[in-house]
Amino acid sequence: MEADGFDLKSLLDPEAAGEVIRVMQICNACRYCEGFCAVFPAMTRRRQFDEGDVGYLANLCHNCGACYHACQYAPPHEFGVNVPQALAAARNDSYAAYAWPAPFAVLFRRNGLFVTLGVSAGLALTVGLMLAMIAPQLFWGVHLGEGAFYRIMPHTMMAAVPLAISAFVVVSFVMGWRRYWRHTGAKWGGFADLVDAVKASATLRHLGGDTSSGVLSGPGCPTGDDGSNNARRIYHQLTMYGFLLCFAATSVGTIYHYGFGREAPYGYFELPVVLGTIGGVILCIGTAGLFVEKRRLHPSVRHDDGLGMDYAFIVSLFFVSFTGLLLLAVRETSFMGVTLAIHLGVVYGFFLILPFSKFVHGLYRFAALIASAGEARRS
Ligand code: SF4
Ligand code: SF4
């Protein structure tokens, strides 16, 4: 047991971790899937597997299902090897294990419900407070030009809430990352590993079924009917880049505000609006696509316990971008006040639940990619 109460040895559910160790031992003798993804090369570098290895391999897997469809030992074979499902169960468990503050780990248990309630509470509270505190003629009035949003909600308040939430989210992410790193025994091998992980994330090359390069021409994920396509990879990329563009739009808006004394809303062709509009549109397409792809996932590969978490996160992210676009569309009408309240409510709720949602998948997967790049370089 470590000083902060973090026990490195018994973090994961023994049943889920045990099943990963069992199938990995079979796979390590077979090695048929060696070139499928980053999991199998990492597996071959080990003779024995401990709990830390389980946390590492589980977060290195992107649940494409290729190894299940190719496996001669999959059910109904008596070995019953189902690598994607075993890793998915351990991966979901690892989110709770690395969560900070630790008592909040319980929020990963019925995560779909928690995320839905968290975002709804943010929405209800913001809309309710604004309706109660702002005079109706102001709330339902038409406000034009720079500073229009701040006639509904003062900028100090609009910025203070996300600032307070962000401080908590950043600390929670740093602590979660630290827990993951220590539990898995990952080693920092230098900036070359970081660059490799950034490249793998930027191109999502593993989702293309290509472990060696960044090209977009890999076969993609199996569809379960002997085919494969790149749909998951494309929707993942749209979601990731859409999110980053929206983040960039907010950052540029902040520079406009504090650096140039310019107040939102900005013109339709100004940088914050252009970045936010493109980001919002591709984020809507990406999340809608991921929702459809999730439903299409082969039942044998899918881990049903984690579905609520996946759907709730995807839908919340969709609403963050959709309400942002809606605000852009109605900002010069009397619906601006209510749409601003709804958008802010969804955004506040979404950011508050971030450390206890599927978002942590990006965090731990990135850490696993850094560790994997280092291992590959050293071996
Ligand atoms: S998933 Fe099946 S085929 Fe692939 S390495 Fe493991 S045991 Fe072999
Ligand atoms: S499901 Fe895909 S990513 Fe996961 S271990 Fe199998 S081949 Fe690798």
Side-chain angles (χ1 to χ4, degrees):
M1 180 85 71
E2 304 277 313
D4 64 355
F6 182 67
D7 189 340
L8 289 172
K9 289 214 170 62
S10 52
L11 271 184
L12 302 179
D13 171 41
E15 206 177 307
E19 179 58 7
V20 171
I21 291 172
R22 183 186 79 84
V23 295
M24 284 293 104
Q25 279 164 345
I26 297 171
C27 290
N28 225 355
C30 165
R31 299 195 174 186
Y32 178 76
C33 302
E34 217 165 344
F36 280 18
C37 68
V39 171
F40 291 96
M43 171 198 79
T44 60
R45 292 182 202 111
R46 288 159 172 77
R47 292 200 176 160
Q48 305 278 335
F49 300 92
D50 61 20
E51 216 198 73
D53 296 322
V54 172
Y56 167 52
L57 296 172
N59 283 287
L60 205 49
C61 167
H62 53 265
N63 202 226
C64 70
C67 57
Y68 174 80
H69 295 294
C71 186
Q72 60 269 42
Y73 302 120
H77 190 281
E78 60 181 313
F79 287 179
V81 173
N82 188 334
V83 177
Q85 223 172 54
L87 290 176
R91 185 166 53 249
N92 286 344
D93 198 36
S94 76
Y95 298 157
Y98 304 137
W100 187 93
F104 284 39
V106 70
L107 300 176
F108 278 102
R109 299 291 173 228
R110 297 186 69 193
N111 193 262
L113 181 66
F114 161 68
V115 169
T116 310
L117 288 178
V119 175
S120 307
L123 175 63
L125 212 66
T126 312
V127 176
L129 278 176
M130 283 171 84
L131 273 172
M133 292 170 67
I134 301 167
Q137 63 272 28
L138 203 62
F139 192 76
W140 294 103
V142 176
H143 306 279
L144 301 173
E146 287 198 8
F149 293 156
Y150 309 130
R151 272 162 234 147
I152 301 289
M153 188 192 222
H155 178 264
T156 334
M157 194 188 289
M158 203 187 281
V161 177
L163 210 65
I165 296 175
S166 303
F168 168 70
V169 168
V170 169
V171 173
S172 185
F173 281 166
V174 170
M175 294 302 287
W177 176 290
R178 186 166 168 260
R179 289 182 162 206
Y180 168 86
W181 203 257
R182 287 160 67 202
H183 182 238
T184 60
K187 290 184 181 61
W188 170 247
F191 281 99
D193 300 345
L194 182 65
V195 170
D196 197 83
V198 169
K199 278 189 196 162
S201 305
T203 59
L204 296 182
R205 66 175 182 239
H206 295 295
L207 269 171
D210 179 354
T211 58
S212 58
S213 72
V215 293
L216 293 168
S217 55
C221 297
T223 50
D225 54 2
D226 287 339
S228 60
N229 65 42
N230 273 292
R232 271 188 80 209
R233 182 189 199 180
I234 291 166
Y235 292 132
H236 254 99
Q237 275 181 316
L238 290 175
T239 302
M240 182 175 72
Y241 285 112
F243 186 84
L244 291 176
L245 280 173
C246 291
F247 185 73
T250 310
S251 306
V252 174
T254 307
I255 293 171
Y256 272 37
H257 188 94
Y258 291 108
F260 303 107
R262 301 260 330 270
E263 293 194 325
Y266 304 109
Y268 291 109
F269 296 104
E270 291 198 77
L271 196 55
V273 178
V274 172
L275 290 174
T277 307
I278 299 172
V281 169
I282 65 176
L283 191 49
C284 277
I285 299 171
T287 46
L290 281 181
F291 188 90
V292 173
E293 286 303 310
K294 187 65 62 185
R295 291 184 66 81
R296 283 196 187 141
L297 208 59
H298 195 282
S300 305
V301 172
R302 209 168 51 203
H303 179 62
D304 288 338
D305 287 354
L307 275 184
M309 165 162 54
D310 294 356
Y311 283 135
F313 181 72
I314 290 170
V315 171
S316 310
L317 197 47
F318 176 86
F319 275 109
V320 166
S321 49
F322 180 74
T323 54
L325 291 173
L326 200 62
L327 180 60
L328 179 71
V330 304
R331 70 184 196 177
E332 290 177 2
T333 74
S334 57
F335 290 105
M336 187 268 271
V338 70
T339 314
L340 179 68
I342 291 171
H343 180 58
L344 289 177
V346 173
V347 171
Y348 293 163
F350 177 79
F351 276 95
L352 197 58
I353 55 92
L354 221 48
F356 314 106
S357 73
K358 185 64 192 261
F359 189 86
V360 296
H361 150 74
L363 196 71
Y364 301 135
R365 178 156 174 75
F366 188 65
L369 286 172
I370 294 177
S372 164
E375 278 189 4
R377 214 178 300 282
R378 287 189 293 273
S379 65

